[in-house]
Amino acid sequence: MELSDRQLKILQAVISDFINTAEPVGSRSLSKNHDLGVSAATIRNEMSDLEEMGYLTHPHTSAGRVPSEKAYRLYVNQMMNSYEMGDEMKNIISAQLNQDMFEFDKTIRHAAKILSEITKLTSFALTPKQDEDILKYINLLPVDDKTVILMIVSESGKVSNTVLHINAPYTEEGLTLLAKSMTYSFRGKTISEALRGDIITTFENDFDAMSGLAANIMPDFMKTLEDMLNVNLYMDGLTNIFSLPEYNDIGKAKSFIEMLNQKEAFTQKLINRDDGVIITIGNENCDENMQDCSMITATYHVDGKLIGKLGVIGPTRMKYSEVTSVIQYLTDNISNTFKIGDGEDD
């Protein structure tokens, strides 16, 4: 059921007020603070309908209402106005980033710090320690009837050999065929690109005799790729959550910090996110520990190549438009700072 223009205006007003105050919003305050053109009683009735449709929730301790995740998703997709950063803020950001323009890692750390200072949220930046390897060749070498060596060779010359213990029956011919299929599927991809793909599905249409073997090998293949992915995760503003009313509960704050301290798991979540500007809200985050959080990430480039991600994590009550604008400006600035050329000098 589509919302009427009046319902959209009321919902947008509720979201705006709740983001700014963290207090449940009542019909009387909406009538007083917004020119909605209707009475408080009409607003109250419309809010009741919005609650029935799942866009608002009603805290037991208050007569006011707060936006649901469904409301925030509608807001982000259809209602969020573009936030234009002021020239003064842009100049400050550019000047700070350009201080370290000859030291890539230092620039990225500085970007995360700037992001946390501006948004008052916990920020992070993900970057390879060096140019990320591109996969070149994959081989599977039999040792005995239950042991196989997985060899992965990258274009930089890095070689990874992993001993696999296989439960499915196989032949040397089957191994060779699977290795050729894997090489064909992943040659030319970066490790991150390979990990973001559905590796099991890649081989669904391969020979029946190979399907059991592929399913047996793929988890170890993915783990080996993760081990080869040499990345740095920088975080800043972790203690910013203590100034947010959502984390007044010390147990909730502790759980949030413990989740982010599991850096390997958090890094993998970032690797698995799509490129571009991505906003996930509440239950859209697969990890149950993140289902009362929102996360915004954007991709930055170096010399035209996808390199890393910059973003924030915090409560679903977030200034989505402003935060997204700041992240986009930072990633664009990083990409322009490290734009070596037009990509023709290979």
Side-chain angles (χ1 to χ4, degrees), residues 36-113:
L36 297 172
V38 292
S39 67
T42 300
I43 294 172
R44 184 163 54 252
N45 290 336
E46 293 285 25
M47 290 175 72
S48 179
D49 289 342
L50 287 167
E51 184 173 3
E52 287 185 8
M53 289 185 280
Y55 290 100
L56 297 177
T57 61
H58 199 147
H60 296 299
T61 57
S62 170
R65 290 175 174 85
V66 301
S68 66
E69 292 173 13
K70 183 179 179 180
Y72 285 127
R73 174 46 63 192
L74 180 66
Y75 173 77
V76 167
N77 288 353
Q78 298 181 27
M79 302 160 62
M80 184 170 72
N81 296 318
S82 177
Y83 175 79
E84 182 62 33
M85 292 177 59
D87 289 338
E88 182 179 358
M89 179 61 71
K90 288 180 179 179
N91 291 336
I92 290 172
I93 290 174
S94 297
Q96 291 186 13
L97 286 183
N98 288 335
Q99 290 177 359
D100 306 315
M101 63 180 296
F102 299 110
E103 298 182 58
F104 177 72
D105 277 12
K106 194 172 181 181
T107 298
I108 302 305
R109 287 198 301 270
H110 205 161
K113 186 174 188 298

Coordinates of all heavy atoms in Angstrom, one line a residue, residues 36-113:
L36 N 2.4 21.4 8.6 CA 1.8 20.2 7.8 C 0.4 20.5 7.3 O -0.1 19.7 6.6 CB 1.8 19.0 8.8 CG 3.2 18.5 9.2 CD1 3.0 17.4 10.3 CD2 4.0 18.0 8.1
G37 N -0.1 21.6 7.7 CA -1.4 22.0 7.1 C -2.6 21.3 7.6 O -3.7 21.3 7.0
V38 N -2.5 20.5 8.7 CA -3.6 19.8 9.3 C -3.5 19.9 10.8 O -2.5 20.2 11.4 CB -3.6 18.3 8.8 CG1 -3.8 18.1 7.4 CG2 -2.2 17.6 9.2
S39 N -4.6 19.5 11.4 CA -4.7 19.6 12.9 C -3.9 18.5 13.6 O -3.5 17.5 13.0 CB -6.1 19.5 13.3 OG -6.6 18.2 13.1
A40 N -3.6 18.7 14.9 CA -2.9 17.6 15.7 C -3.7 16.3 15.7 O -3.1 15.2 15.7 CB -2.7 18.2 17.1
A41 N -5.1 16.4 15.7 CA -5.9 15.2 15.7 C -5.7 14.5 14.4 O -5.6 13.2 14.4 CB -7.3 15.6 15.9
T42 N -5.7 15.2 13.3 CA -5.5 14.5 12.0 C -4.1 13.8 11.9 O -3.9 12.7 11.5 CB -5.6 15.5 10.8 OG1 -6.9 16.0 10.9 CG2 -5.4 14.8 9.5
I43 N -3.1 14.6 12.5 CA -1.7 14.0 12.5 C -1.7 12.7 13.3 O -1.1 11.7 13.0 CB -0.7 15.0 13.0 CG1 -0.6 16.2 12.1 CG2 0.6 14.4 13.3 CD1 0.2 17.4 12.6
R44 N -2.4 12.8 14.5 CA -2.4 11.6 15.4 C -3.1 10.4 14.7 O -2.6 9.3 14.8 CB -3.2 12.0 16.6 CG -3.2 10.9 17.7 CD -3.6 11.4 19.1 NE -4.9 12.1 19.0 CZ -5.0 13.4 19.2 NH1 -3.9 14.2 19.3 NH2 -6.2 14.0 19.1
N45 N -4.2 10.6 13.9 CA -4.8 9.5 13.2 C -3.9 9.0 12.1 O -3.8 7.7 11.9 CB -6.1 10.0 12.6 CG -7.2 10.3 13.6 OD1 -7.2 9.7 14.7 ND2 -8.1 11.2 13.3
E46 N -3.2 9.9 11.4 CA -2.3 9.4 10.4 C -1.1 8.6 11.0 O -0.7 7.6 10.4 CB -1.8 10.6 9.5 CG -2.8 11.3 8.7 CD -3.2 10.5 7.5 OE1 -3.1 9.3 7.4 OE2 -3.7 11.2 6.5
M47 N -0.6 9.1 12.1 CA 0.5 8.4 12.8 C 0.0 7.0 13.2 O 0.8 6.0 13.1 CB 1.0 9.2 14.0 CG 1.7 10.4 13.6 SD 2.2 11.4 15.0 CE 3.6 10.4 15.7
S48 N -1.2 6.9 13.6 CA -1.8 5.5 14.0 C -1.8 4.6 12.8 O -1.4 3.4 12.9 CB -3.2 5.7 14.6 OG -3.7 4.5 15.0
D49 N -2.2 5.2 11.7 CA -2.2 4.4 10.4 C -0.8 4.0 10.0 O -0.6 2.8 9.6 CB -2.9 5.1 9.3 CG -4.4 5.3 9.5 OD1 -5.0 4.5 10.3 OD2 -5.0 6.2 8.9
L50 N 0.1 4.9 10.2 CA 1.5 4.6 9.8 C 2.1 3.5 10.7 O 2.9 2.7 10.3 CB 2.4 5.9 9.9 CG 2.2 6.9 8.8 CD1 2.8 8.2 9.2 CD2 2.7 6.4 7.5
E51 N 1.6 3.5 12.0 CA 2.1 2.4 12.9 C 1.5 1.1 12.4 O 2.2 0.1 12.5 CB 1.6 2.8 14.3 CG 2.1 1.8 15.3 CD 1.8 2.2 16.8 OE1 1.2 3.2 17.0 OE2 2.3 1.4 17.7
E52 N 0.3 1.1 12.1 CA -0.4 -0.2 11.6 C 0.3 -0.7 10.3 O 0.4 -1.9 10.1 CB -1.8 0.0 11.3 CG -2.7 0.2 12.5 CD -4.2 0.3 12.2 OE1 -4.5 0.1 11.0 OE2 -5.0 0.6 13.1
M53 N 0.8 0.2 9.5 CA 1.5 -0.2 8.3 C 3.0 -0.6 8.5 O 3.7 -1.0 7.6 CB 1.4 0.9 7.2 CG 0.0 1.0 6.7 SD 0.0 2.3 5.3 CE -0.1 3.8 6.2
G54 N 3.5 -0.4 9.8 CA 4.8 -0.8 10.1 C 5.9 0.2 10.0 O 7.1 -0.1 10.1
Y55 N 5.5 1.5 9.8 CA 6.5 2.5 9.6 C 6.9 3.2 10.9 O 7.9 3.9 11.0 CB 6.0 3.6 8.6 CG 5.9 3.1 7.2 CD1 4.7 2.7 6.6 CD2 7.1 3.0 6.4 CE1 4.6 2.2 5.3 CE2 7.0 2.5 5.1 CZ 5.8 2.1 4.6 OH 5.7 1.7 3.3
L56 N 6.0 3.1 11.9 CA 6.3 3.7 13.2 C 6.1 2.6 14.3 O 5.4 1.7 14.1 CB 5.3 4.9 13.5 CG 5.4 6.1 12.6 CD1 4.4 7.1 12.9 CD2 6.8 6.7 12.6
T57 N 6.8 2.8 15.4 CA 6.6 1.9 16.5 C 6.3 2.8 17.7 O 6.6 4.0 17.7 CB 7.9 1.1 16.8 OG1 9.0 2.0 17.1 CG2 8.2 0.2 15.6
H58 N 5.8 2.2 18.8 CA 5.2 2.9 19.9 C 5.9 2.4 21.2 O 5.5 1.4 21.7 CB 3.7 2.7 20.0 CG 3.0 3.7 20.8 ND1 1.7 4.0 20.5 CD2 3.3 4.4 21.9 CE1 1.3 4.9 21.4 NE2 2.2 5.1 22.2
P59 N 6.9 3.1 21.7 CA 7.6 2.7 22.9 C 6.6 2.7 24.1 O 5.8 3.6 24.2 CB 8.7 3.7 23.1 CG 8.9 4.3 21.8 CD 7.6 4.3 21.1
H60 N 6.7 1.6 24.9 CA 5.7 1.5 26.0 C 5.8 2.6 27.0 O 4.8 3.0 27.6 CB 5.9 0.2 26.7 CG 5.7 -1.0 25.9 ND1 4.5 -1.3 25.3 CD2 6.5 -2.0 25.5 CE1 4.6 -2.4 24.6 NE2 5.8 -2.9 24.7
T61 N 6.9 3.2 27.1 CA 7.1 4.2 28.1 C 6.8 5.6 27.7 O 7.0 6.6 28.4 CB 8.6 4.2 28.6 OG1 9.5 4.4 27.5 CG2 8.9 2.9 29.3
S62 N 6.3 5.8 26.4 CA 6.1 7.1 25.9 C 4.8 7.1 25.0 O 4.4 6.1 24.4 CB 7.3 7.5 25.0 OG 6.9 8.7 24.3
A63 N 4.2 8.3 25.0 CA 3.0 8.5 24.1 C 3.4 8.7 22.7 O 2.6 8.7 21.8 CB 2.1 9.6 24.6
G64 N 4.7 9.1 22.5 CA 5.2 9.4 21.1 C 5.6 8.1 20.4 O 5.5 7.0 20.9
R65 N 5.9 8.3 19.1 CA 6.3 7.2 18.3 C 7.7 7.5 17.7 O 8.2 8.6 17.6 CB 5.3 7.0 17.1 CG 3.9 6.5 17.6 CD 2.9 6.5 16.5 NE 1.7 5.9 16.9 CZ 0.7 6.5 17.5 NH1 0.8 7.8 17.8 NH2 -0.4 5.9 17.8
V66 N 8.3 6.3 17.2 CA 9.7 6.4 16.7 C 9.6 5.7 15.3 O 8.8 4.7 15.1 CB 10.7 5.8 17.6 CG1 10.7 6.5 18.9 CG2 10.5 4.3 17.8
P67 N 10.5 6.0 14.4 CA 10.6 5.3 13.1 C 11.0 3.9 13.2 O 11.9 3.5 14.1 CB 11.6 6.1 12.3 CG 11.8 7.4 13.1 CD 11.5 7.1 14.5
S68 N 10.5 3.0 12.4 CA 11.0 1.6 12.3 C 12.0 1.5 11.2 O 12.3 2.5 10.5 CB 9.8 0.7 11.9 OG 9.4 1.0 10.6
E69 N 12.7 0.4 11.1 CA 13.6 0.1 10.1 C 13.0 0.3 8.7 O 13.6 0.8 7.8 CB 14.2 -1.3 10.2 CG 15.1 -1.4 11.5 CD 15.5 -2.9 11.7 OE1 15.4 -3.7 10.8 OE2 16.0 -3.2 12.8
K70 N 11.7 -0.1 8.6 CA 11.0 0.0 7.3 C 10.9 1.5 7.0 O 11.0 1.9 5.8 CB 9.6 -0.6 7.5 CG 8.8 -0.6 6.2 CD 7.4 -1.2 6.5 CE 6.5 -1.2 5.2 NZ 5.2 -1.8 5.5
A71 N 10.7 2.4 8.0 CA 10.6 3.8 7.7 C 12.0 4.4 7.3 O 12.0 5.2 6.3 CB 10.1 4.5 9.0
Y72 N 13.0 3.9 7.9 CA 14.4 4.4 7.6 C 14.7 4.0 6.1 O 15.3 4.7 5.4 CB 15.4 3.9 8.5 CG 15.4 4.6 9.9 CD1 15.4 3.9 11.1 CD2 15.5 6.0 10.0 CE1 15.4 4.5 12.3 CE2 15.5 6.6 11.2 CZ 15.5 5.9 12.4 OH 15.5 6.5 13.6
R73 N 14.3 2.8 5.8 CA 14.6 2.3 4.4 C 13.9 3.1 3.4 O 14.4 3.5 2.3 CB 14.3 0.8 4.3 CG 14.4 0.2 2.9 CD 15.7 0.6 2.2 NE 16.9 0.1 2.9 CZ 18.1 0.5 2.5 NH1 18.3 1.4 1.6 NH2 19.1 0.0 3.2
L74 N 12.6 3.4 3.6 CA 11.8 4.3 2.7 C 12.4 5.7 2.7 O 12.5 6.3 1.6 CB 10.4 4.4 3.2 CG 9.4 5.3 2.4 CD1 9.2 4.7 1.0 CD2 8.1 5.5 3.1
Y75 N 12.9 6.2 3.8 CA 13.5 7.5 3.9 C 14.8 7.5 3.0 O 15.0 8.5 2.2 CB 13.8 7.8 5.3 CG 14.6 9.1 5.5 CD1 14.0 10.3 5.5 CD2 16.0 9.0 5.8 CE1 14.8 11.5 5.7 CE2 16.7 10.2 6.0 CZ 16.1 11.4 5.9 OH 16.9 12.5 6.1
V76 N 15.6 6.5 3.2 CA 16.9 6.5 2.4 C 16.6 6.4 0.9 O 17.3 7.0 0.1 CB 17.8 5.3 2.9 CG1 18.9 5.1 2.0 CG2 18.3 5.7 4.3
N77 N 15.6 5.5 0.6 CA 15.4 5.2 -0.8 C 14.7 6.4 -1.6 O 14.9 6.6 -2.7 CB 14.6 4.0 -1.0 CG 15.4 2.7 -0.7 OD1 16.6 2.8 -0.5 ND2 14.7 1.6 -0.7
Q78 N 13.7 7.0 -0.8 CA 12.8 8.0 -1.6 C 12.7 9.4 -1.0 O 12.4 10.3 -1.7 CB 11.4 7.4 -1.6 CG 11.3 6.0 -2.3 CD 9.8 5.6 -2.3 OE1 8.9 6.3 -2.2 NE2 9.6 4.2 -2.3
M79 N 13.0 9.5 0.3 CA 12.7 10.8 0.9 C 13.9 11.6 1.3 O 13.8 12.8 1.6 CB 11.9 10.5 2.2 CG 10.6 9.8 1.9 SD 9.9 8.9 3.4 CE 9.6 10.3 4.4
M80 N 15.1 11.0 1.4 CA 16.3 11.7 1.8 C 16.7 12.8 0.9 O 16.9 12.5 -0.3 CB 17.4 10.7 2.0 CG 18.6 11.2 2.6 SD 19.8 9.8 3.1 CE 20.3 9.3 1.5
N81 N 16.8 14.0 1.4 CA 17.3 15.1 0.5 C 18.8 15.1 0.5 O 19.5 14.7 1.4 CB 16.8 16.5 1.1 CG 15.3 16.6 1.1 OD1 14.6 16.3 0.1 ND2 14.7 17.2 2.2
S82 N 19.3 15.5 -0.7 CA 20.7 15.5 -0.8 C 21.3 16.6 0.1 O 20.8 17.7 0.1 CB 21.1 15.8 -2.3 OG 22.5 15.9 -2.4
Y83 N 22.3 16.3 0.8 CA 23.0 17.2 1.8 C 24.2 17.8 1.1 O 25.1 17.0 0.7 CB 23.3 16.5 3.1 CG 24.1 17.4 4.0 CD1 23.4 18.3 4.8 CD2 25.5 17.2 4.2 CE1 24.1 19.1 5.7 CE2 26.2 18.0 5.0 CZ 25.5 19.0 5.8 OH 26.2 19.8 6.7
E84 N 24.2 19.1 1.0 CA 25.4 19.7 0.3 C 26.3 20.3 1.4 O 26.0 21.1 2.2 CB 24.9 20.9 -0.6 CG 26.0 21.6 -1.3 CD 26.8 20.7 -2.3 OE1 26.2 19.8 -2.8 OE2 28.0 20.9 -2.4
M85 N 27.5 19.7 1.4 CA 28.5 20.2 2.4 C 28.9 21.6 2.0 O 29.0 22.0 0.8 CB 29.7 19.3 2.4 CG 29.5 17.9 2.9 SD 31.0 16.9 2.8 CE 32.1 17.8 3.7
G86 N 29.2 22.4 3.0 CA 29.6 23.8 2.8 C 31.1 23.8 2.3 O 31.9 22.9 2.5
D87 N 31.4 24.9 1.6 CA 32.8 25.0 1.0 C 33.8 25.1 2.1 O 34.9 24.5 1.9 CB 32.8 26.3 0.2 CG 32.1 26.2 -1.1 OD1 31.8 25.1 -1.6 OD2 31.7 27.3 -1.7
E88 N 33.5 25.6 3.2 CA 34.5 25.7 4.3 C 34.8 24.3 4.8 O 36.0 24.0 5.0 CB 33.9 26.5 5.5 CG 34.9 26.7 6.6 CD 34.4 27.6 7.8 OE1 33.2 28.1 7.6 OE2 35.1 27.7 8.8
M89 N 33.8 23.5 5.0 CA 34.1 22.1 5.4 C 34.8 21.3 4.4 O 35.8 20.6 4.7 CB 32.7 21.4 5.7 CG 32.9 19.9 6.2 SD 33.9 19.8 7.7 CE 32.7 20.5 8.9
K90 N 34.5 21.5 3.1 CA 35.2 20.8 2.0 C 36.7 21.2 2.0 O 37.6 20.4 1.8 CB 34.6 21.1 0.7 CG 33.2 20.5 0.5 CD 32.7 20.9 -0.9 CE 31.3 20.2 -1.2 NZ 30.8 20.6 -2.5
N91 N 36.9 22.5 2.2 CA 38.3 23.0 2.2 C 39.1 22.4 3.4 O 40.3 22.1 3.2 CB 38.3 24.5 2.2 CG 37.8 25.1 0.9 OD1 37.9 24.5 -0.1 ND2 37.3 26.4 1.0
I92 N 38.5 22.3 4.5 CA 39.1 21.8 5.7 C 39.5 20.3 5.5 O 40.6 19.9 5.7 CB 38.2 21.9 7.0 CG1 38.1 23.4 7.4 CG2 38.8 21.1 8.1 CD1 37.1 23.6 8.5
I93 N 38.6 19.5 4.9 CA 38.8 18.1 4.6 C 39.9 18.0 3.6 O 40.9 17.2 3.8 CB 37.5 17.4 4.1 CG1 36.5 17.3 5.3 CG2 37.9 16.0 3.6 CD1 35.2 16.8 4.8
S94 N 39.9 18.7 2.5 CA 40.9 18.6 1.5 C 42.3 19.0 2.0 O 43.3 18.3 1.7 CB 40.5 19.5 0.3 OG 39.3 19.1 -0.3
A95 N 42.3 20.0 2.8 CA 43.6 20.5 3.4 C 44.2 19.4 4.3 O 45.4 19.1 4.2 CB 43.4 21.8 4.1
Q96 N 43.4 18.8 5.1 CA 43.9 17.8 6.1 C 44.3 16.5 5.3 O 45.4 16.0 5.7 CB 42.8 17.5 7.1 CG 42.5 18.6 8.1 CD 41.5 18.2 9.2 OE1 41.3 17.0 9.4 NE2 41.0 19.2 9.9
L97 N 43.6 16.1 4.3 CA 44.0 14.9 3.6 C 45.2 15.1 2.8 O 46.1 14.3 2.7 CB 42.8 14.5 2.7 CG 41.6 13.8 3.3 CD1 40.6 13.3 2.3 CD2 42.1 12.6 4.2
N98 N 45.3 16.3 2.2 CA 46.5 16.6 1.3 C 47.8 16.7 2.1 O 48.9 16.7 1.5 CB 46.2 17.9 0.5 CG 45.2 17.6 -0.6 OD1 45.0 16.5 -1.0 ND2 44.5 18.7 -1.0
Q99 N 47.7 16.9 3.4 CA 48.9 16.9 4.2 C 49.7 15.6 4.1 O 51.0 15.6 4.2 CB 48.6 17.1 5.7 CG 48.0 18.5 6.1 CD 47.6 18.5 7.6 OE1 47.8 17.6 8.3 NE2 47.2 19.7 8.0
D100 N 49.0 14.5 3.9 CA 49.7 13.2 3.9 C 49.6 12.5 2.5 O 49.6 11.3 2.4 CB 49.0 12.3 4.9 CG 49.0 12.9 6.3 OD1 50.0 13.4 6.7 OD2 47.9 12.8 7.0
M101 N 49.4 13.3 1.4 CA 49.1 12.8 0.1 C 50.2 11.9 -0.4 O 50.0 11.1 -1.4 CB 48.8 13.9 -0.9 CG 50.0 14.8 -1.2 SD 49.5 16.1 -2.4 CE 49.1 15.1 -3.8
F102 N 51.4 11.9 0.1 CA 52.5 11.0 -0.3 C 52.6 9.8 0.5 O 53.5 9.0 0.3 CB 53.8 11.8 -0.4 CG 53.8 13.0 -1.3 CD1 53.8 14.3 -0.9 CD2 53.7 12.8 -2.7 CE1 53.7 15.4 -1.7 CE2 53.6 13.9 -3.6 CZ 53.6 15.2 -3.1
E103 N 51.8 9.6 1.5 CA 51.8 8.5 2.4 C 50.4 7.9 2.4 O 49.5 8.4 3.2 CB 52.2 8.9 3.8 CG 53.7 9.4 3.9 CD 54.1 9.7 5.3 OE1 54.0 8.8 6.1 OE2 54.4 10.9 5.6
F104 N 50.2 6.9 1.6 CA 48.8 6.3 1.4 C 48.2 5.9 2.7 O 47.1 6.3 3.0 CB 48.9 5.2 0.4 CG 47.6 4.5 0.2 CD1 46.6 5.2 -0.6 CD2 47.3 3.3 0.7 CE1 45.4 4.6 -0.8 CE2 46.1 2.7 0.5 CZ 45.1 3.3 -0.3
D105 N 48.8 5.0 3.5 CA 48.2 4.5 4.7 C 47.9 5.6 5.7 O 46.8 5.6 6.4 CB 49.1 3.5 5.4 CG 49.0 2.1 4.7 OD1 48.3 2.0 3.7 OD2 49.5 1.1 5.3
K106 N 48.8 6.6 5.8 CA 48.6 7.7 6.7 C 47.3 8.5 6.3 O 46.5 9.0 7.1 CB 49.8 8.6 6.8 CG 49.8 9.6 7.9 CD 51.2 10.3 8.0 CE 51.2 11.2 9.2 NZ 52.5 11.9 9.3
T107 N 47.2 8.7 5.0 CA 46.0 9.4 4.4 C 44.7 8.7 4.8 O 43.7 9.3 5.2 CB 46.1 9.6 2.9 OG1 47.3 10.3 2.6 CG2 44.9 10.3 2.3
I108 N 44.7 7.4 4.6 CA 43.5 6.6 4.9 C 43.2 6.6 6.4 O 42.0 6.8 6.8 CB 43.7 5.1 4.5 CG1 44.0 5.1 3.0 CG2 42.4 4.3 4.8 CD1 43.0 5.8 2.1
R109 N 44.2 6.5 7.3 CA 44.0 6.6 8.7 C 43.4 8.0 9.0 O 42.5 8.1 9.9 CB 45.2 6.4 9.5 CG 45.7 5.0 9.5 CD 46.7 4.8 10.6 NE 47.9 5.6 10.5 CZ 49.0 5.3 9.9 NH1 49.0 4.1 9.2 NH2 50.0 6.1 9.8
H110 N 43.9 9.0 8.4 CA 43.5 10.4 8.6 C 42.0 10.6 8.2 O 41.2 11.3 8.8 CB 44.4 11.4 7.9 CG 44.4 12.7 8.5 ND1 45.4 13.7 8.3 CD2 43.6 13.4 9.4 CE1 45.2 14.8 8.9 NE2 44.1 14.6 9.6
A111 N 41.7 9.9 7.1 CA 40.3 10.0 6.6 C 39.3 9.4 7.6 O 38.2 10.0 7.8 CB 40.2 9.3 5.2
A112 N 39.7 8.3 8.2 CA 38.8 7.7 9.2 C 38.7 8.6 10.4 O 37.6 8.7 10.9 CB 39.4 6.3 9.6
K113 N 39.8 9.2 10.8 CA 39.7 10.1 11.9 C 38.8 11.3 11.6 O 37.9 11.7 12.4 CB 41.1 10.6 12.3 CG 41.2 11.5 13.5 CD 42.7 11.8 13.9 CE 42.8 12.4 15.2 NZ 42.1 13.7 15.3

